[in-house]
Amino acid sequence: LSIVRNDASAFQLVNGILQTTLDGEAGIDFESTRKTYSIDIEARDNGSPSLASQITITIRVANMNDPPIIESN
């Protein structure tokens, strides 16, 4: 498997598992990041001739309720 197109380089394949490269405070947050990401993934065999197939995955970021932040003075 390989990533052919990766919007914003936001994802990577690790041992065949799609993972985000956005982490920490700058991670995927509905209020501050893109709302959708598109990734094209290709599978190719080792035959002769080689055969391949591609799929486009669209990831939509959903809004989740964040816990309230209470600041003390």
Side-chain angles (χ1 to χ4, degrees):
L1 292 175
S2 63
I3 295 177
V4 179
R5 184 178 58 90
N6 187 1
D7 283 355
S9 297
F11 297 90
Q12 63 185 354
L13 281 172
V14 177
N15 297 323
I17 298 171
L18 188 63
Q19 297 179 346
T20 182
T21 57
L22 303 173
D23 59 1
E25 302 237 351
I28 296 177
D29 180 16
F30 184 82
E31 284 83 12
S32 62
T33 62
R34 298 168 56 160
K35 305 303 182 244
T36 61
Y37 295 88
S38 290
I39 301 123
D40 292 339
I41 296 179
E42 180 179 81
R44 182 174 295 275
D45 70 9
N46 293 325
S48 180
S50 179
L51 299 174
S53 184
Q54 286 188 8
I55 187 170
T56 298
I57 298 172
T58 301
I59 298 170
R60 292 181 177 84
V61 180
N63 190 13
M64 302 293 288
N65 289 331
D66 296 325
I69 298 173
I70 300 172
E71 296 180 10
S72 60
N73 292 334

